[in-house]
Amino acid sequence: MTSRVLTGEHFINGDIACAEGAIAAGCTFFGGYPITPATEVAEHISIRLPRVGGTFIQMEDEIAAMTSVLGGAWTGAKSMTATSGPGFSLMMETIGLAVVTETPCVVVNVQRAGPSTGLPTQGAQADMMQARWGSHGDYEIIAVAPASPQEMFDLTITAFNLSEAYRTPVFIMSDEIVGHMSERVVIPEAGKIRTVSRPRPAGRKDRFRLYRPGPNGVAPMPAIGDGYKIHVTGLTHDEKGYPVMSVETQKEMIERITGKIRNNIDDIVMTESYRLSDADIAVVSYGVSARTSFTAVDEARKRGIRAGMLRLVTVWPFPEKQIRALAQKVKGIITVEINMGQISREVERCAAGRVPTIGVGHHGGAIIPPEAVIDAMEKEVMR
Amino acid sequence: MIRSADPAVAPTVHPLEDLVRMDRIPHIWCPGCGTGSVFTACLTAIKQTGIPYDQFAMVSGIGCSGRGAGYINIDSFHTTHGRAIPFATGIKMANPKLNVIVFSGDGDLFAIGGNHFIHAARRNMDITVVCVNNLTYGMTGGQVAATTPHNARSSTTVMGNPETPFNLPLLAYAAGATYIARWSMLHARDLADAIAAALRRRGFSFIEALSPCPVNYGRRNREKAIDTLRHYQEKAIIKNGAHPAELDMSDARGPILGNFLDIEKPTHDEIYKRMYRPEEG
């Protein structure tokens, strides 16, 4: 068996860094289906997982891949899949099952331009709302947006930790550019990597309730074979996990699965502030678009525009508090993303008319040049 | 639990009670439906194997038979429509020590889930698939299924089914299943024995259990539950070892039942381990 954590400096692309992050986080099951530009995650993990005692299987389609991940997760394995937009769409029904059965798992979406087959080899950030609302029904979800191969490693570990801690699917909303970009990635020593595992039940098995929440709203989760005789269903269910078709049970269940995210939002949400302390104009961005936005902020400062940036590391749940605070501070907010206005609408909602908000978007297939962001700032300042 | 009216007589416990979630009884299956009988055969088979219950998991999809997972008192999963097999595949690959049973209906397994069935058979995934075949979409209200006989009426083929149904054992055979049997719910003992044999062996096992749906299939085709049973009893041809190609459900004769195939082939998890994790021995 080879080492689980490949401590050292590497020059690898984002997809491979993501696969290594998963293994470092303790992933032992990967069910996948190849799709550009996420394929390298599956290819790399297919080689690495068996060497650390785990299992890879390439399923017959994305629906099967996502479903196998749920089966794997209930054996106690930290489980994962990787896909891109069209595959993400196919997985959506099963992602809903993961949400309602409170199954921890990680789904990587290396986004490409769409709709439909779109531009398979070129990036976009246009699945952001699909990540939020793609499955049916009411739910909350967690999604992080890495901006570099290093973050593909780091945030994959974070994604596993959040999924285990909150018993929910967690999305890594990457894109083709970050996925295929090669940079230096530093993998720390195994002992310095913090990993979280789902809470496991203890106590009398005959009194066990599958969905009786602990103090943070999350219930301990047994594995198949532990002897708890669990029943897991996608139907509306009570604390025992049994289906109950009533308005009251639906209310309790939905409040639990949304509450465990909403009530712990400060523990989940991560943002990064850059030159914001004296800023007049704030750029809000995430993922690959944040990289050009940093450059745009620096360039704007040289031109006398007091610009700063709030980078959304967590995109869902949406960092509402941070955006509201920003709207109290600055004179205008520009949201930069490779889509036609998905997160910018959220920013506009949270700014709630306190300051002007505009979106700098792109149709997909290319990154947004810093000039486009600076142009928007100048217009904003002139106004 | 059946309790005697006489307090002096000890309560009679049903022999399968330890395998049923008694707190979920009564079940939802209609009078005349065969799913309960197939479920009973499945529980009997689990008991027959003598394998500890904790080492089993049952996975169902959606539909009437899909509720099976909700009544069995072992680790059990009621998943999405058509996806019981990939869920079971994930369980088996992540923990090959578990015995995984898929209990679902013909609509779930062979229309929406058809792709997963053929690939699990092709891989020789070490799972046991029990299909309750009632020839229709029962829970959804009697629409046409991939198994509905040609000319039969359903709520979406009111003039008769224009399509040709699957021969399920032949499909399983062509895809690579290593154990194939078909019995009716009336042949309860043969059915339980076939399921037990499937559970004891390694590899992809497929058991088709013919079962009446008087409410949603029978009503439209002028067939009462008792007529279906009579048909199974009087017309069924028992032919163990029959070639799957001759097992189509024909109007001209009764269904051919039996244990058709039982061959040895390495399973997917065995091959994977041998090729990719040889150091584990």
Side-chain angles (χ1 to χ4, degrees):
Chain A
M1 244 187 248
T2 54
S3 179
R4 175 167 280 279
V5 179
L6 302 182
T7 304
E9 286 188 22
H10 304 265
F11 188 73
I12 49 178
N13 75 23
D15 282 357
I16 290 171
C18 173
E20 285 299 333
I23 293 165
C27 173
T28 54
F29 181 77
F30 188 104
Y33 190 77
I35 180 168
T36 305
T39 305
E40 291 91 334
V41 183
E43 286 176 344
H44 187 75
I45 214 161
S46 76
I47 299 163
R48 280 278 284 142
L49 261 192
R51 293 183 186 169
V52 297
T55 304
F56 167 88
I57 186 165
Q58 181 174 313
M59 296 297 284
E60 52 274 13
D61 57 34
E62 284 95 343
I63 300 172
M66 188 65 224
T67 315
S68 74
V69 164
L70 267 57
W74 279 97
T75 69
K78 291 186 182 178
S79 303
M80 180 193 201
T81 192
T83 191
S84 190
F88 201 47
S89 301
L90 288 173
M91 291 175 179
M92 275 302 160
E93 185 197 12
T94 315
I95 286 167
L97 181 68
V99 167
V100 86
T101 56
E102 303 184 51
T103 308
C105 55
V106 172
V107 180
V108 187
N109 181 353
V110 186
Q111 296 169 82
R112 62 194 227 182
S116 191
T117 323
L119 299 171
T121 57
Q122 294 171 55
Q125 296 175 303
D127 300 342
M128 304 311 294
M129 277 295 161
Q130 185 178 208
R132 178 63 188 89
W133 296 112
S135 197
H136 51 284
D138 255 334
Y139 61 97
E140 290 287 341
I141 203 77
I142 300 175
V144 293
S148 64
Q150 180 69 53
E151 283 197 341
M152 287 291 270
F153 180 86
D154 297 339
L155 291 180
T156 300
I157 296 170
T158 305
F160 270 99
N161 290 350
L162 289 169
S163 85
E164 293 283 317
Y166 292 104
R167 283 189 60 180
T168 193
V170 174
F171 301 144
I172 299 169
M173 298 302 288
S174 183
D175 68 275
E176 187 275 334
I177 304 154
V178 171
H180 284 165
M181 168 195 297
S182 288
E183 279 183 347
R184 192 175 79 122
V185 173
V186 179
I187 299 182
E189 288 166 29
K192 296 202 171 138
I193 294 173
R194 181 180 158 268
T195 59
V196 175
S197 293
R198 63 197 73 168
R200 298 288 284 264
R204 282 182 57 171
K205 287 182 178 166
D206 58 331
R207 289 194 186 162
F208 176 68
R209 295 287 181 272
L210 186 57
Y211 296 110
R212 181 179 288 165
N216 66 346
V218 183
M221 179 176 173
I224 301 169
D226 282 354
Y228 287 93
K229 299 182 177 179
I230 52 173
H231 178 58
V232 178
T233 178
L235 289 166
T236 294
H237 46 261
D238 60 15
E239 267 195 2
K240 210 173 174 188
Y242 286 3
V244 179
M245 301 297 101
S246 75
V247 175
E248 295 74 27
T249 311
Q250 171 75 0
K251 177 176 180 291
E252 279 169 26
M253 188 189 74
I254 295 296
E255 283 182 355
R256 184 175 61 248
I257 60 172
T258 56
K260 70 183 180 185
I261 309 281
R262 290 180 182 180
N263 300 334
N264 293 297
I265 195 160
D266 292 337
D267 180 54
I268 297 166
V269 164
M270 295 172 288
T271 57
E272 183 188 341
S273 294
Y274 181 67
R275 304 187 87 161
L276 268 179
S277 55
D278 65 339
D280 290 328
I281 300 275
V283 176
V284 171
S285 195
Y286 55 92
V288 69
S289 295
R291 294 173 74 109
T292 50
S293 299
F294 280 124
T295 307
V297 166
D298 289 344
E299 186 57 36
R301 288 263 173 182
K302 282 181 201 160
R303 298 188 199 177
I305 301 168
R306 286 199 296 196
M309 173 155 151
L310 182 76
R311 182 168 81 100
L312 312 180
V313 180
T314 315
V315 176
W316 305 116
F318 194 68
E320 299 194 2
K321 202 191 278 179
Q322 288 81 348
I323 300 291
R324 286 206 186 94
L326 199 60
Q328 303 286 0
K329 237 167 100 32
V330 297
K331 294 177 185 157
I333 302 178
I334 300 168
T335 308
V336 181
E337 55 184 345
I338 310 176
N339 62 56
M340 298 308 287
Q342 297 189 14
I343 295 298
S344 73
R345 285 190 194 175
E346 285 292 292
V347 172
E348 186 179 355
R349 176 176 69 80
C350 295
R354 286 188 202 96
V355 287
T357 59
I358 55 165
V360 174
H362 191 282
H363 314 88
I367 57 168
I368 298 172
E371 293 74 36
V373 184
I374 297 164
D375 284 353
M377 283 181 197
E378 282 174 339
K379 277 180 206 148
E380 201 69 18
V381 170
M382 302 288 279
R383 195 154 57 185
Chain B
M1 193 183 285
I2 304 154
R3 290 183 195 280
S4 167
D6 179 356
V9 178
T12 312
V13 176
H14 189 279
L16 293 172
E17 195 177 302
D18 56 342
L19 267 170
V20 177
R21 293 183 193 271
M22 294 304 288
D23 52 349
R24 292 219 53 220
I25 300 298
H27 58 66
I28 59 151
W29 297 316
C30 306
C33 169
T35 307
S37 302
V38 183
F39 185 64
T40 302
C42 201
L43 302 187
T44 306
I46 288 173
K47 196 152 213 168
Q48 265 183 39
T49 64
I51 301 166
Y53 297 159
D54 286 355
Q55 292 171 26
F56 285 97
M58 181 182 273
V59 187
S60 292
I62 299 297
C64 304
S65 321
R67 292 301 186 96
Y71 300 124
I72 191 168
N73 195 24
I74 60 170
D75 291 335
S76 49
F77 298 86
H78 182 220
T79 66
T80 39
H81 198 193
R83 318 301 169 197
I85 287 176
F87 200 100
T89 297
I91 293 174
K92 187 70 196 179
M93 290 310 290
N95 185 355
K97 288 184 192 125
L98 296 166
N99 298 285
V100 190
I101 308 158
V102 169
F103 186 92
S104 218
D106 52 301
D108 183 79
L109 289 166
F110 290 99
I112 187 166
N115 195 32
H116 309 309
F117 181 87
I118 59 174
H119 287 280
R122 172 181 65 78
R123 294 183 181 109
N124 198 24
M125 193 54 61
D126 182 21
I127 60 176
T128 298
V129 177
V130 179
C131 170
V132 182
N133 184 0
N134 61 6
L135 313 176
T136 191
Y137 280 52
M139 189 171 273
T140 322
Q143 295 81 14
V144 72
T147 48
T148 304
H150 183 54
N151 288 328
R153 290 197 168 88
S154 77
S155 68
T156 47
T157 58
V158 291
M159 314 281 281
N161 178 18
E163 300 178 9
T164 302
F166 270 136
N167 169 351
L168 298 181
L170 179 61
L171 183 70
Y173 179 72
T178 52
Y179 182 91
I180 302 168
R182 177 201 275 157
W183 294 99
S184 86
M185 47 71 76
L186 194 66
H187 300 76
R189 200 160 290 182
D190 296 298
L191 178 61
D193 289 347
I195 299 170
L199 291 174
R200 283 195 197 98
R201 65 190 301 289
R202 294 167 308 152
F204 187 87
S205 305
F206 173 60
I207 297 107
E208 178 183 5
L210 302 176
S211 169
C213 172
V215 173
N216 274 323
Y217 180 83
R219 188 164 45 91
R220 290 187 177 83
N221 292 284
R222 295 199 184 117
E223 191 177 294
K224 292 191 173 110
I226 193 77
D227 302 330
T228 314
L229 299 190
R230 202 165 279 135
H231 179 72
Y232 293 156
Q233 187 183 27
E234 292 170 2
K235 295 274 180 63
I237 301 156
I238 294 171
K239 195 173 173 190
N240 290 314
H243 191 279
E246 57 177 295
L247 299 176
D248 59 302
M249 304 269 267
S250 154
D251 283 347
R253 54 153 170 76
I256 297 173
L257 309 178
N259 301 318
F260 306 124
L261 185 77
D262 187 357
I263 56 169
E264 279 284 324
K265 237 170 35 173
T267 66
H268 179 70
D269 56 288
E270 287 168 353
I271 300 170
Y272 184 80
K273 200 175 154 189
R274 195 192 309 146
M275 292 178 73
Y276 284 84
R277 294 199 302 257
E279 74 284 355
E280 288 180 19

